[in-house]
Each structure stands twice: as structure tokens, then as C-alpha cells.
Amino acid sequence: MARPDPQKTADSTWQEPPVRQWRIKFFASLCLLAFLAGLMLGKLLKPDPAQPARLLQVDMLGPELDLCFSRLPKAAVIDEDGVFAMLFAVEQAEARQGVLSLPEGDAASWRLTPRSDGMQLGIVSLQPLQGRWERVAGMKSCIRVSVSVRR
């Protein structure tokens, strides 16, 4: 009866496997190493999600307010009935307030207050306000809030 597996010979010379098999193993190991290196770099460069952003600086520039954070936070905008407010998911900081001078000669009061889920920026005036916000060009994690009187 014939054996299904090939018999080993007493020949001790090494037989070279096909080149195709070497290439497959080489590229598979390269892909695995690149994947593992990418995972390590991503873990090192990604900010810690458990640590919320912090408010670093508040600057008034005429009708604009610059808010700088340690990193950009999640934000929500409330722009109804002439009142402009923003909610930021940041670490609580001390309350701040001030007055913005609008181009039309009016003034708008702003107040940054801590809340249980972050900070709230509220801007009010005697006239209905219209507000907008944008990232400050050239600064990585700053937001510029500008308001004007709604006509």
C-alpha cells in the first residue's frame, strides 16, 4: 500500500524554496511592521480624550472676542431672538466679563460663566445681535467670535 506523504530521503542538502514564497513572506512582514508602527505613533500623538480642553486666554478686539484653548473643544451655538450664546465642553475656569464696542456705536456685554458641563459665553445688547464664529487663521486652537447689530 502506498503512503500518502512523501518519504524523506537521507539527502541532507538544503533545497531553496521558490522565490515567490520568499516575496510573499517579506511583504507580509513589512505590512505587519508598518501597521504596528502606525498604531504606536497614533497612540503617542493622539491627545488624551479623558482630559478636557482648557481655556487659556480671552482677548477683546473691538466687536470681536478671541478665545484660545489648549485644544479645540466641542461647541454649540445658540443664536435666537437677538441673543448670541456659545456652549463649550471645556474644563471649568473662573468667570470673566467685559464690554464689546460695536461698529454702529452700540455696546454689547459678554460674560463667560462656568456650567456643570463646561463654560457658557453669552453676549447681550439693547439691540438684537447677530453673531458668528470662526477659527483664527494662523493659530491652532483659537476661536474668534464677532457680533453685530441685526438690522
Side-chain angles (χ1 to χ4, degrees), residues 122-137:
I123 304 174
V124 296
S125 177
L126 295 176
Q127 304 294 325
L129 292 176
Q130 177 178 351
R132 62 183 178 88
W133 67 276
E134 62 188 6
R135 286 181 64 178
V136 177

Side-chain angles (χ1 to χ4, degrees), residues 25-110:
K25 287 181 181 181
F26 175 74
F27 287 119
S29 62
L30 276 181
C31 291
L32 179 64
L33 287 175
F35 176 72
L36 292 175
L39 284 177
M40 288 188 293
L41 285 174
K43 187 73 172 175
L44 287 174
L45 299 177
K46 187 173 109 177
D48 186 15
Q51 182 181 11
R54 289 186 333 269
L55 178 67
L56 300 176
Q57 183 177 347
V58 178
D59 292 326
M60 291 187 300
L61 305 168
E64 298 174 339
L65 192 63
D66 282 355
L67 304 166
C68 292
F69 301 94
S70 58
R71 66 171 199 248
L72 283 178
K74 291 183 181 178
V77 176
I78 301 169
D79 191 7
E80 295 178 358
D81 299 328
V83 175
F84 184 77
M86 289 186 78
L87 304 173
F88 299 104
V90 296
E91 196 174 279
Q92 289 186 359
E94 63 184 45
R96 299 177 191 182
Q97 61 186 6
V99 177
L100 296 173
S101 59
L102 302 178
E104 295 84 12
D106 296 325
S109 297
W110 64 271

Side-chain angles (χ1 to χ4, degrees), residues 107-125:
S109 297
W110 64 271
R111 173 178 262 170
L112 191 63
T113 55
R115 294 174 38 128
S116 61
D117 57 347
M119 301 283 291
Q120 176 181 350
L121 171 67
I123 304 174
V124 296
S125 177

